Each structure stands twice: as structure tokens, then as C-alpha cells.
Amino acid sequence: MIVRKDLDDGLEQLKSMLLEMGSRVETVLHDAMKALEQLDQESARAIIKKDPELNRLEDQISEVGAKLIATQQPVAKDLRRVLVAFRMASDLERMGDLSVDIAKVVLRMEGETLIKPLIDLPRMAAISQTMIYESIQAYIHEDIDLAYKMANDDDNVDALYSQILRELFTLMTQNPNMISQAMLLSFVGRYVERIADHATNIGESVVYLVTGKRPDLND
């Protein structure tokens, strides 16, 4: 027998797990960027060690969602809530992986000093961190305006990334000894840019949840 309360409880559980997952991804991105700024090897190793925790959360969300579909047979918007939760968990897990990639760059820079003070990379990360938080809030409150805000924030991240690449290219041409680290820092910029893209994906998922239509926030 299908009981509405069981479905509602399951959907609330999904929300709670996505909130937790989002919070953890925010933290790992913040910590990874701090580790990079300080070239903190110990912190970088701790970040990498915790990576399986996000994978477990994604698996748990998949299990809860699959059980809801199998036992409660949700339809229309309720079904979209479950399907969107699957996609969001996947995007969040990938954001976590990209943050771990930043920590791995820190390990590769062991014994080095930064070729320049990091200004725009932390700015990129701060915007992306806000995007992670706001994308989850957009889902929780079904806030389309907040979901669409992801596109504007993503544009800001892209602009900073382009600026970083120009600066790093200039450094490499002026001093070939900087090429190795400049390349690693460009990788970090790419990782953060991809994190912002995944947050934008969540924004698109929220619009789909509310309207039943799949938008492209990058249009």
C-alpha cells in the first residue's frame, strides 16, 4: 500500500542528504583552496583521504531515491524531485572530485614557493562556493530566480578564468622556469571553472523540477 506520508518522508530525507552533501562540497573546496594558498601538504592529504565520504553519500541518495521509485511509484513533480536528486548528487560528487584534484596539485608542488600571490583563483573559488550553496537552496525552496542566478555567476567565474590564463601565459613567456607551476595553476583554474559549471547544472535541474522543462542556463 502506497502511503503519501512515506513518500513525503523519503523526499525530505533526500533534501537532508543533499544539504549535507552540498555543505561538505563547499567545505572541501574552501579547504583545498586554502591548502593551495599556503602550500599546506598536510591539509591536502587530509582532503584526499576524506574523498570516499562524498562517494558514500551519493550512493545513499541513489539508494533512497531508487527505493522511493520502487515502493511509492511517484509521478509528475514528485518523480522529478527524485530524478533531480540523482542528478544533483552526481554533480556534487564531481565537484568534490575536482576539489580533491586541487589538493593533488598542492602535493605536486611540494617544496616549491608560489610564483605569484594568488588573487583571482581564490576569488573564483569563493564565487563557486557561493554557487554550490545557492544551487542547493534553490532546490530546497524551488527558487527559479536563484537557479537562474547560476548563469550570471558562472559568467563571472569564466571571466576570471580567462584572466588567470592570460596572466599565467605572460609569466611563462617571461620566465620559462615558471612553466611547470604555471601549468599546474592553470589546471586549478580549470577545476574551479568546472565546479561552477556543475553548480549551473544544478540550477538547470531546479528549473526542470519546477517547470517540467529543461532549460540551458548558458544560453
Side-chain angles (χ1 to χ4, degrees):
M1 179 180 177
I2 298 174
V3 179
R4 178 71 209 189
K5 183 178 184 303
D6 292 338
L7 177 57
D8 289 340
D9 288 347
L11 293 172
E12 284 301 315
Q13 186 179 3
L14 285 177
K15 282 185 180 181
S16 177
M17 295 167 77
L18 286 167
L19 273 172
E20 180 182 356
M21 197 171 183
S23 177
R24 292 194 183 199
V25 172
E26 284 182 68
T27 298
V28 72
L29 174 57
H30 174 270
D31 291 349
M33 189 53 60
K34 284 298 179 185
L36 178 65
E37 290 179 83
Q38 300 167 8
L39 293 182
D40 186 337
Q41 302 288 307
E42 184 177 347
S43 293
R45 290 189 181 92
I47 289 165
I48 295 168
K49 187 176 181 180
K50 290 182 179 179
D51 184 44
E53 295 176 7
L54 280 175
N55 297 334
R56 285 193 291 271
L57 265 174
E58 182 188 17
D59 290 342
Q60 290 169 12
I61 289 169
S62 296
E63 290 172 7
V64 171
K67 184 178 179 181
L68 282 178
I69 291 174
T71 63
Q72 301 302 311
Q73 300 172 20
V75 296
K77 193 170 184 179
D78 288 329
L79 178 59
R80 294 203 300 274
R81 287 189 176 98
V82 177
L83 298 178
V84 164
F86 289 157
R87 183 174 180 186
M88 287 175 62
S90 177
D91 279 315
L92 287 167
E93 192 275 334
R94 186 66 190 122
M95 289 187 221
D97 285 346
L98 289 162
S99 299
V100 168
D101 287 339
I102 297 172
K104 291 178 179 177
V105 166
V106 176
L107 296 186
R108 292 178 64 180
M109 293 170 63
E110 185 173 11
E112 299 183 18
T113 56
L114 290 170
I115 58 177
K116 66 182 293 292
L118 300 185
I119 299 172
D120 290 330
L121 279 174
R123 287 175 62 195
M124 279 182 73
I127 295 171
S128 297
Q129 188 178 332
T130 298
M131 290 176 71
I132 296 167
Y133 173 79
E134 291 185 343
S135 66
I136 300 297
Q137 291 301 308
Y139 171 74
I140 298 300
H141 301 292
E142 298 186 8
D143 187 335
I144 291 183
D145 291 337
L146 194 55
Y148 274 107
K149 180 177 178 289
M150 297 300 106
N152 184 63
D153 290 341
D154 189 44
D155 288 343
N156 292 334
V157 169
D158 289 344
L160 283 170
Y161 179 47
S162 296
Q163 182 173 318
I164 288 167
L165 291 181
R166 288 193 297 270
E167 290 178 356
L168 290 174
F169 179 76
T170 299
L171 286 173
M172 286 188 285
T173 56
Q174 292 174 347
N175 188 344
N177 293 329
M178 295 181 176
I179 289 176
S180 177
Q181 188 181 128
M183 289 298 297
L184 289 174
L185 292 176
S186 72
F187 292 160
V188 172
R190 177 59 176 163
Y191 300 150
V192 178
E193 190 266 342
R194 289 295 298 140
I195 289 171
D197 286 345
H198 283 287
T200 303
N201 289 346
I202 293 178
E204 291 179 355
S205 293
V206 171
V207 176
Y208 167 68
L209 166 63
V210 176
T211 67
K213 300 177 181 179
R214 289 198 175 277
D216 184 351
L217 300 191
N218 292 312
D219 282 350

